Every structure is written in structure tokens, then in C-alpha cells.
Amino acid sequence: MKNLNLAPADTYKIYNKGIITNEKIKILTNLYQPIIGFSAVSLYLTLLNDLNKKNESLTYTHHHLMTSMQLKLESILDARYKLEGIGLLKTFVKQGEIDEYLYILYSPLSAYEFFNHPILNVVLYNNIGAKEYEMLQSFYKVPKISVKDYQDITTSFEEVFTSNMNTSLLFDNSDIQDDKFRKIEIKSNFDFDLLVSSIPKRLVNEKCFNDEIKELILNLSYIYKIDNLNMQGLVRNSLNERGMIDKIELRKSCRNYYQFENNGRLPTLIYNKQPEYLKTPIGNESRLSKLIYYFENTSPYDFLKKSYGNTEPTNRDKKLIESLMLEQKLNPGVINVLIDYVLKINHKKLNKDYIETIVGQWKRLKVETVMDAMEVCKKEHKKFKKNVLKIETKDIKENTKDVELPLWFDQKIEKKSENLQELNDLLKEFD
């Protein structure tokens, strides 16, 4: 993800690579929106609306987007990243005094392609639940028609038309509009050579590991967090008698493997940020204001990654964050406060039992905002030091007299400020 300090004065022009019908717009709102959110879909439709009949737009500034969408530039940039990540947008830039951007729109997948996609299908199911998922599925299912007692009397092409061309014409149709799709791009260290070499050649057909199968394996290894070693066994178990991989069987095996390792849960994407309506209307002249802004505009995954020194968190900690979002239904900004608090007072350890105790209390207190979470932490820390909060783990019963406290303890909020220039310097203190 390349952040080039997008400014309101930077210009952009839009091009369309797909054929986007009313049916595709329904797919966008029904299937994509539960994954990427309303703002990203709104950005897509706003860009689409600015196209002319030649599938390109005039040159606009990003201030035009901010005005028409009534969103801050940070929110538009976040929405753009989601469109790029899910394959609906490709972005190019030419840097100068004023940067010039090209936004290329791509079509949403068809309903069939979406419901059979190894990543999007799973995330949609997990985000909306079984009941809503089944309702959407039924909406897009083709009715089954029995033609058992009927005779096919359809006329063929040659029975209707006769060729009568006297000249041979050659046209260049390469620029004709097509329904262009963009694949989801995943950067992975998955070693296909190791996978292929680990399976005896006598078991596989020479055409087994084609590009389609490789893409499927890459997607499955990403969404289900399966490494090379475990994928080898799953692939071998999915081979049929012809030495080819049964794609349906492989997907089932990967799903079952993940659910077995995660108590029956399915994976999701933990990029979500605090909902706009739960954000605090404060500025950032104070240190506390800057931290609140950061908590509210950072995903739990990115916040956790920063606590790891910008390296990938362990699967255990990522699963813990997923459970806080999916099972406990905590808002992303609240989770960030929780992570920061626990890491500071618990010697950089995310103890699951301790966190669940705190979460239980926060749920009863209906903690929804970053400010709510901070205030509860401050109050409870006084009780914590007096051993009122009793947790049956050695990690929590250690001496707390000289425990490090989060940066936001004992600080007051200063309202009405929009300047965010000092935020990065302050955030270095999280490392």
C-alpha cells in the first residue's frame, strides 16, 4: 500500500474497463458492500457517475470528491484502498507539483463467480451470517426447469442465416469494450516449487498444477492461513483418480482444516476501523486527541502489527483479535484501546483469560467508543492496583507498583482542532 500524501488539489481522471449494468450495481451493494463497507461502494458509484459515454471522465481534483461525497480525504483514501484490494479499481499516479492520478474501474464479478470465489465467498458468509447468506444465495439461484417431457425444437444458426459476402474485410476490434475483471492480488511467500516437489510424480498429472489451480491454492492458503507443510497433505487428499486436483474437495478440506483449528469458526478480514458515527468529534492539539484519532482510524490488525515493530503478528494474537470482533462484537477503536492497555500493564503479553475478563465487563457497561474504553481503563486501574480485579493467572498477579501505563492516562482532551501533522512523531512511542 503506497501512501503518496494525497492532497485535495491533486487531480484525477477516470476510465472504465468493464460493462457495468444495473444488475452489476445490485451485486456491488448486495455482495461487495458487506465486505468493503458503504463508503467504498459509494466511492465506486461516484467515480462511475463521473464517466461520459466514451467511458472516461473529465479531469477533477480530489476536492471535488470530498465535496460530492461529504467525506474527509482520509476516508476517501481508505475507501480507495478497499476498492483496489478487492479488485474493483486500479490506480496510477504521475508525480509532480500537483500529482495526477488515473483511476481505472473494473466490473464486479458475476454472482456465480462471487459465490464460488475461495476468499470473497467465505468472508461474505462470515460477515453477514448463515441466514442472510442463504437469502442472498436464493436471490441469485437460477430456477430449475424440467424439460424431461419436452422436445427441443430450437432452430440452428445455419437454418436461419446464409452467408452472402463478396469481399473479405478485416477489422481491428481490440479496443471494443469488454467486461473486464481484476483478480484479487495477494503477495505471498507460498513456495509452489516445494509443494510440487513434495508430491510423488506418479500421483499427479503433468497438467495438474496449472495457473488456475495455483491461484486457487494461493487464495486458500491466504484466507485459511495454511502453510506449505499443511497444504501438502490437503492437496494430496484432494487428488482424483486422474491425478488432477478436485477443486471442490480441496476447498472443503481447507475449510474443514481451518474450522478444526479454530473451534468451528470461519475466517474474516480484520481491517475494519471504528465506524464514523462512533468517532469522537475532537481535534488534536493535545496528545490525547492525537491518540484518540489514531485509535479510531487504525484497524486492529495494523495496530497490533505496530506493537510487533511493524512485523507480522503471531497467528495466536490475530485469532484473538478476530474473536474480539466477531464473537464479542467489539468496535475496532475499542479493541485498539484494549490492546494498548493490556500490553502496557501486562508486560507486553496479550493474555486471553485476562482480556476476556475485561471484555465481559465492557460488554456489560456497553462500551462502544474509544473515549468510553479509556475512561473505564482509568477507573479500573485503580481497583487493579488494590487487587480488586482477581485473575487466576501468574501473569496478572505480578507486582504492579512500577507498571508502565498507556500514554493516554491522566491526560485531558482539547477540542476543536484539525491539524494532524505531529501524529506520526507521537506514535513512535508505541514501538
Side-chain angles (χ1 to χ4, degrees):
M1 189 181 291
K2 301 182 182 69
N3 189 344
L4 298 174
N5 297 317
L6 183 65
D10 290 340
T11 65
Y12 69 90
K13 195 169 183 179
I14 313 160
Y15 293 89
N16 180 24
K17 284 281 189 178
I19 300 174
I20 304 171
T21 62
N22 288 336
E23 188 60 34
K24 288 294 180 72
I25 299 300
K26 288 183 180 178
I27 289 173
L28 189 68
T29 53
N30 288 342
L31 306 184
Y32 281 84
Q33 187 165 287
I35 298 175
I36 61 177
F38 172 78
S39 294
V41 170
S42 178
L43 175 59
Y44 185 93
L45 295 176
T46 302
L47 296 175
L48 186 66
N49 189 60
D50 283 337
L51 292 170
N52 59 27
K53 291 183 179 179
K54 293 183 178 180
N55 281 307
E56 61 182 89
S57 74
L58 301 173
T59 298
Y60 297 100
T61 66
H62 283 81
H63 183 266
H64 164 77
L65 271 183
M66 296 168 66
T67 302
S68 60
M69 295 184 69
Q70 288 295 292
L71 289 177
K72 293 181 179 180
L73 197 56
E74 292 90 345
S75 299
I76 291 173
L77 189 60
D78 181 59
R80 195 192 87 192
Y81 288 152
K82 292 176 183 177
L83 292 178
E84 291 169 353
I86 210 163
L88 293 173
L89 182 70
K90 203 168 182 67
T91 302
F92 297 86
V93 64
K94 182 167 70 174
Q95 292 182 273
E97 289 186 12
I98 295 178
D99 292 343
E100 300 175 27
Y101 287 81
L102 296 180
Y103 292 143
I104 301 178
L105 294 175
Y106 288 81
S107 288
L109 299 175
S110 68
Y112 176 85
E113 291 166 320
F114 193 101
F115 279 108
N116 285 281
H117 194 280
I119 293 178
L120 300 180
N121 176 43
V122 175
V123 176
L124 177 67
Y125 179 91
N126 210 37
N127 282 12
I128 65 177
K131 187 176 180 180
E132 192 76 17
Y133 182 87
E134 289 171 4
M135 184 183 74
L136 279 175
Q137 255 193 335
S138 65
F139 182 75
Y140 288 104
K141 281 183 177 178
V142 177
K144 291 183 179 180
I145 303 172
S146 175
V147 295
K148 182 180 178 182
D149 299 325
Y150 294 80
Q151 180 183 358
D152 186 353
I153 60 170
T154 309
T155 305
S156 64
F157 181 88
E158 67 272 10
E159 290 177 298
V160 179
F161 302 100
T162 302
S163 176
N164 191 27
M165 292 185 65
N166 296 319
T167 57
S168 177
L169 298 176
L170 182 63
F171 297 99
D172 180 9
N173 296 320
S174 59
D175 294 333
I176 299 298
Q177 186 181 12
D178 192 10
D179 206 6
K180 296 289 185 181
F181 302 101
R182 217 190 116 224
K183 293 181 180 179
I184 293 178
E185 298 176 10
I186 296 175
K187 295 180 180 179
S188 170
N189 295 322
F190 192 87
D191 192 338
F192 279 107
D193 292 334
L194 177 61
L195 175 66
V196 173
S197 63
S198 68
I199 301 176
K201 291 184 178 180
R202 58 183 174 80
L203 296 180
V204 297
N205 189 298
E206 61 180 7
K207 298 179 180 179
C208 176
F209 292 101
N210 54 38
D211 290 341
E212 181 184 5
I213 289 295
K214 285 183 177 180
E215 182 182 1
L216 176 62
I217 292 173
L218 181 61
N219 285 334
L220 292 173
S221 70
Y222 169 78
I223 192 64
Y224 292 119
K225 301 179 178 66
I226 302 174
D227 58 22
N228 270 86
L229 184 61
N230 289 307
M231 184 60 79
Q232 292 170 20
L234 296 171
V235 167
R236 290 184 67 163
N237 292 337
S238 302
L239 292 169
N240 58 28
E241 64 279 359
R242 295 182 289 108
M244 300 295 287
I245 293 174
D246 185 323
K247 291 183 286 187
I248 295 177
E249 187 61 34
L250 179 59
R251 290 173 66 163
K252 285 182 180 178
S253 297
C254 291
R255 183 190 63 206
N256 292 339
Y257 168 84
Y258 183 91
Q259 288 183 303
F260 179 79
E261 294 288 323
N262 293 273
N263 300 317
R265 291 189 295 111
L266 286 171
T268 188
L269 303 177
I270 53 172
Y271 65 78
N272 292 337
K273 299 177 184 177
Q274 187 77 350
E276 289 293 330
Y277 74 96
L278 290 176
K279 288 185 178 180
T280 307
I282 61 174
N284 100 314
E285 290 179 357
S286 70
R287 288 162 60 87
L288 180 56
S289 298
K290 296 173 187 176
L291 287 171
I292 291 173
Y293 178 87
Y294 183 64
F295 286 141
E296 292 178 338
N297 292 278
T298 305
S299 71
Y301 170 76
D302 287 334
F303 188 85
L304 185 63
K305 186 175 180 180
K306 187 166 184 63
S307 74
Y308 272 75
N310 289 318
T311 59
E312 188 69 13
T314 64
N315 285 335
R316 175 188 170 277
D317 284 353
K318 286 193 289 187
K319 289 175 184 177
L320 178 58
I321 299 303
E322 286 182 6
S323 71
L324 293 175
M325 294 186 71
L326 298 175
E327 296 174 12
Q328 305 299 336
K329 307 296 183 186
L330 287 184
N331 290 320
V334 173
I335 293 174
N336 289 338
V337 176
L338 179 60
I339 295 171
D340 187 43
Y341 176 64
V342 173
L343 286 176
K344 290 290 169 58
I345 69 167
N346 195 33
H347 308 286
K348 302 294 184 181
K349 299 173 186 175
L350 289 179
N351 183 283
K352 189 171 184 289
D353 291 337
Y354 182 40
I355 287 175
E356 287 180 349
T357 301
I358 296 175
V359 169
Q361 182 202 34
W362 287 14
K363 297 270 285 184
R364 291 189 293 274
L365 292 174
K366 294 181 169 47
V367 174
E368 290 189 320
T369 69
V370 168
M371 281 296 299
D372 291 342
M374 286 179 168
E375 289 302 318
V376 171
C377 284
K378 291 176 183 179
K379 291 176 182 178
E380 289 302 313
H381 187 67
K382 294 177 182 178
K383 299 178 184 179
F384 176 83
K385 292 177 75 172
K386 296 176 182 178
N387 291 324
V388 175
L389 183 61
K390 295 180 180 179
I391 308 298
E392 293 184 359
T393 70
K394 293 181 180 179
D395 293 333
I396 309 305
K397 289 182 177 180
E398 295 179 15
N399 190 347
T400 63
K401 289 182 180 178
D402 299 319
V403 70
E404 181 185 5
L405 295 177
L407 296 170
W408 38 269
F409 266 56
D410 301 321
Q411 294 191 34
K412 295 181 180 179
I413 300 174
E414 296 178 15
K415 299 190 176 183
K416 296 183 180 178
S417 173
E418 296 297 332
N419 182 21
L420 300 177
Q421 293 179 353
E422 299 178 8
L423 183 59
N424 288 333
D425 291 337
L426 176 67
L427 296 179
K428 290 178 182 177
E429 298 183 44
F430 280 92
D431 295 335

